[in-house]
């Protein structure tokens, strides 16, 4: 547990607020974020960047609640976006669109136009057809688009295959052998300005070595291009730093970021700006999903602890077999027997589980906290089974802020229409 999620007299609290109080006030399931934890995670990157040419681009796909974006914008962050919708969120949260990098393999012409209108810092481009489309859109609106190519360095990030992105077999990035011709093509397009290079090798990476391997390949490309007269002013090292869900031991954020910055400097590139695109490591351990035990259902093969949160609220276990620690919110009660449970939701799928084989001493009505749920939690939630999405709350010291209301059922089918006729 981080200092921001801790036990007070045995009961789980976020900063100065007991989680039980949040459940009483807002119900469950509810995502609860700690402003202090968000700030500390950001500062761990910022400490490494001090006195260096470096920027932090929060990969907001991890958690795009406006209040979360607002916290980071106020700390000076830029943003890594993957859609026009995310750009509109940055603006709605008071972020600066000129500090935005636009990633993603399938940007539409309308999204490009929106991003150009807001003068984003850079487009991370992944293919020649995308370069052509961007060039055409920029020409049409009378602008030059700053671009960086996302290259695929073909390194193994040694993480879950669904979240590994830097291998040849992935859909992401320009294949390593095509990188130089693609840069030459980009440099020849009149409405593009080639400014950078980008790579992102995967997510939940717990070692530094794959990053250094990728970075060395990136720097080789930068040097080759410079000999050809294509000079890049920034190097985007992507995101992907892992967090502790169970017993992983990822490198400490500040040390990790310094290691990469040092390598850039050692190889004589200290004059170029380095961009970090962290998502999970800024928000993952700054949030929990609060849920209530509905029923205990003993079985011959398994005992089930049925809770009111489900795969539609937190998809990671069902999708990646991801592990999230599950903690009782109240202090241990005398006389309640511990058993081994699968913690499951009410959704009609066997894949609807949040944790397997967990030892818990709980009774119906008790609260549980699904830990490390700040990243890829709410943002990946759905309305499957016509379940409204959870409320989101941000704690700041003693203050409790509702930052997203629980969705009501009427919200869910507001955009639907009955057929005409009787
Ligand atoms: N930059 C790019 C281009 C990305 O595609 C991603 C994440 C990031 C940065 C941020 O990566 P992070 O620092 O958060 O690892 N839903 C999955 C993770 C998908 C990651 C997608 N790309 C999960 O729940 O584990």
């Amino acid at each position: 547990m981080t200092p921001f999620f801790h036990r007070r007299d045995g009961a789980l609290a976020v900063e100065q607020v007991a989680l039980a109080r949040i459940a009483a006030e807002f119900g469950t399931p509810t995502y609860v974020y700690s402003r202090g934890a968000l700030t500390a995670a950001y500062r761990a990157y910022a400490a490494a960047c001090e006195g260096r040419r470096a920027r932090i681009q929060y990969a907001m796909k991890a958690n795009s609640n406006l209040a979360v974006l607002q916290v980071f914008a106020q700390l000076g962050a830029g943003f890594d976006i993957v859609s026009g919708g995310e750009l509109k969120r940055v603006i709605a949260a008071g972020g600066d669109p000129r500090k935005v990098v636009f990633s993603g393999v399938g940007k539409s012409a309308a999204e490009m136009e929106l991003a150009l209108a807001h003068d984003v810092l850079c487009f991370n481009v992944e293919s020649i057809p995308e370069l052509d489309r961007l060039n055409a859109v920029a020409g049409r609106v009378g602008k030059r688009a700053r671009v960086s190519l996302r290259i695929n360095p073909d390194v193994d990030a040694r993480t879950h295959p669904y979240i590994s992105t830097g291998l040849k077999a992935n859909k992401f990035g320009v294949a390593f052998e095509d990188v130089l011709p693609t840069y030459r093509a980009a440099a020849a397009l009149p409405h593009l300005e080639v400014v950078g290079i980008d790579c992102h090798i995967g997510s939940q990476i717990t070692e530094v070595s794959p990053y250094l391997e990728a970075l060395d390949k990136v720097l080789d490309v930068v040097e080759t291009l410079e000999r050809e007269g294509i000079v890049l002013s920034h190097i985007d090292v992507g995101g992907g730093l892992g967090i502790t869900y169970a017993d992983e031991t990822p490198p400490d954020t500040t040390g990790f970021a310094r290691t990469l910055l040092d390598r850039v400097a050692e190889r004589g590139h200290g004059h170029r700006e380095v961009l970090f695109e962290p998502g999970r490591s800024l928000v993952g351990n700054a949030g929990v999903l609060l849920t209530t035990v509905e029923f205990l259902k003993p079985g011959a093969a398994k005992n089930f602890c049925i809770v009111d949160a489900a795969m539609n609220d937190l998809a990671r276990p069902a999708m990646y077999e991801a592990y999230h620690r599950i903690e009782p919110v109240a202090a241990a009660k005398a006389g309640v027997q511990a058993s081994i449970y699968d913690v499951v939701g009410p959704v009609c799928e066997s894949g609807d589980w949040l944790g397997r084989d967990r030892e818990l001493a709980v009774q119906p009505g008790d609260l549980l906290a699904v830990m490390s749920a700040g990243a890829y939690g709410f943002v990946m939630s759905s309305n499957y089974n016509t379940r409204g999405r959870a409320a989101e709350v941000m704690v700041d010291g003693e203050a409790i802020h509702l930052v997203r209301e629980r969705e009501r059922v009427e919200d869910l089918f507001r955009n639907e229409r009955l057929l005409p006729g009787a």
Side-chain angles (χ1 to χ4, degrees):
M1 248 178 276
T2 70
F4 303 98
F5 294 86
H6 53 98
R7 289 202 179 265
R8 271 197 328 201
D9 302 324
L12 206 53
V14 186
E15 302 194 23
Q16 305 305 313
V17 178
L19 275 172
R21 199 178 135 202
I22 294 174
E25 207 162 316
F26 301 101
T28 57
T30 293
Y31 277 95
V32 185
Y33 309 124
S34 152
R35 182 177 189 166
L38 295 171
T39 304
Y42 182 84
R43 292 209 167 122
Y45 276 98
C49 295
E50 221 171 277
R52 317 264 196 142
R53 287 183 53 75
R55 291 174 179 262
I56 303 157
Q57 306 290 132
Y58 169 48
M60 61 181 280
K61 64 169 79 72
N63 185 328
S64 56
N65 181 282
L66 294 186
V68 171
L69 303 183
Q70 182 188 19
V71 168
F72 289 131
Q74 285 175 1
L75 289 166
F79 297 91
D80 169 60
I81 65 165
V82 290
S83 70
E86 287 194 343
L87 179 56
K88 289 189 177 172
R89 279 184 178 273
V90 169
I91 295 164
D96 183 352
R98 288 164 309 176
K99 288 188 181 175
V100 161
V101 297
F102 194 169
S103 298
V105 287
K107 302 171 194 80
S108 71
E111 288 176 318
M112 290 172 172
E113 199 171 324
L114 179 74
L116 283 168
H118 288 287
D119 203 20
V120 300
L121 186 68
C122 184
F123 291 83
N124 289 338
V125 174
E126 305 212 9
S127 66
I128 290 196
E130 190 191 339
L131 283 174
D132 289 336
R133 178 181 284 178
L134 183 57
N135 182 59
V137 173
R140 181 151 44 78
V141 300
K143 295 209 168 177
R144 270 186 100 196
R146 288 176 289 273
V147 300
S148 129
L149 290 189
R150 174 169 176 184
I151 73 163
N152 184 336
D154 195 24
V155 303
D156 186 357
R158 294 189 281 279
T159 181
H160 191 288
Y162 282 14
I163 51 177
S164 175
T165 50
L167 278 171
K168 261 193 184 147
N170 292 124
K171 72 173 172 183
F172 296 104
V174 176
F176 203 69
E177 55 275 20
D178 300 334
V179 166
L180 296 176
T182 310
Y183 264 105
R184 290 178 198 124
L189 291 170
H191 306 295
L192 302 186
E193 184 187 354
V194 177
V195 296
I197 188 162
D198 166 43
C199 93
H200 170 80
I201 55 175
S203 202
Q204 185 53 19
I205 301 169
T206 53
E207 298 166 68
V208 185
S209 54
Y211 281 100
L212 290 174
E213 200 186 318
L215 180 57
D216 277 328
K217 287 183 150 185
V218 165
L219 294 176
D220 291 345
V221 172
V222 173
E223 288 164 12
T224 308
L225 288 171
E226 189 141 283
R227 285 194 291 273
E228 292 193 15
I230 300 176
V231 180
L232 304 183
S233 58
H234 83 237
I235 298 163
D236 184 336
V237 296
L241 180 63
I243 62 169
T244 303
Y245 286 100
D247 51 8
E248 304 92 331
T249 50
D252 137 86
T253 299
T254 308
F256 158 81
R258 278 201 183 121
T259 302
L260 297 194
L261 290 167
D262 287 347
R263 177 65 65 96
V264 170
E266 278 157 22
R267 286 199 45 180
H269 295 273
H271 56 297
R272 297 184 222 270
E273 190 157 57
V274 173
L275 275 56
F276 293 95
E277 286 176 7
R280 189 188 321 264
S281 51
L282 287 179
V283 292
N285 273 325
V288 302
L289 173 59
L290 195 54
T291 183
T292 304
V293 177
E294 298 279 15
F295 303 109
L296 297 177
K297 186 176 173 188
K302 288 220 170 226
N303 299 315
F304 293 99
C305 172
I306 302 171
V307 299
D308 66 355
M311 66 187 287
N312 76 295
D313 298 301
L314 180 66
R316 304 191 71 256
M319 232 170 135
Y320 316 115
E321 304 204 328
Y323 177 92
H324 286 262
R325 252 187 21 246
I326 299 179
E327 298 262 342
V329 169
K333 277 180 272 183
V336 181
Q337 194 68 41
S339 294
I340 308 286
Y341 293 101
D342 275 13
V343 180
V344 302
V347 163
C348 295
E349 298 248 5
S350 298
D352 179 25
W353 59 278
L354 299 174
R356 284 184 172 147
D357 299 323
R358 304 302 175 85
E359 184 172 346
L360 293 167
V362 284
Q363 292 173 312
D366 284 357
L367 294 168
L368 294 175
V370 184
M371 307 302 288
S372 309
Y376 306 108
F378 182 88
V379 285
M380 288 174 68
S381 64
S382 78
N383 296 123
Y384 190 37
N385 282 206
T386 305
R387 290 167 51 85
R389 283 178 294 174
E392 292 176 285
V393 167
M394 173 100 63
V395 172
D396 181 5
E398 291 178 357
I400 306 172
H401 304 285
L402 180 65
V403 294
R404 193 181 205 275
E405 283 174 33
R406 181 177 309 289
E407 264 176 355
R408 291 163 307 160
V409 173
E410 310 84 82
D411 299 332
L412 305 187
F413 49 81
R414 173 166 302 136
N415 297 331
E416 297 177 29
R417 299 287 180 270
L418 290 170
L419 296 172

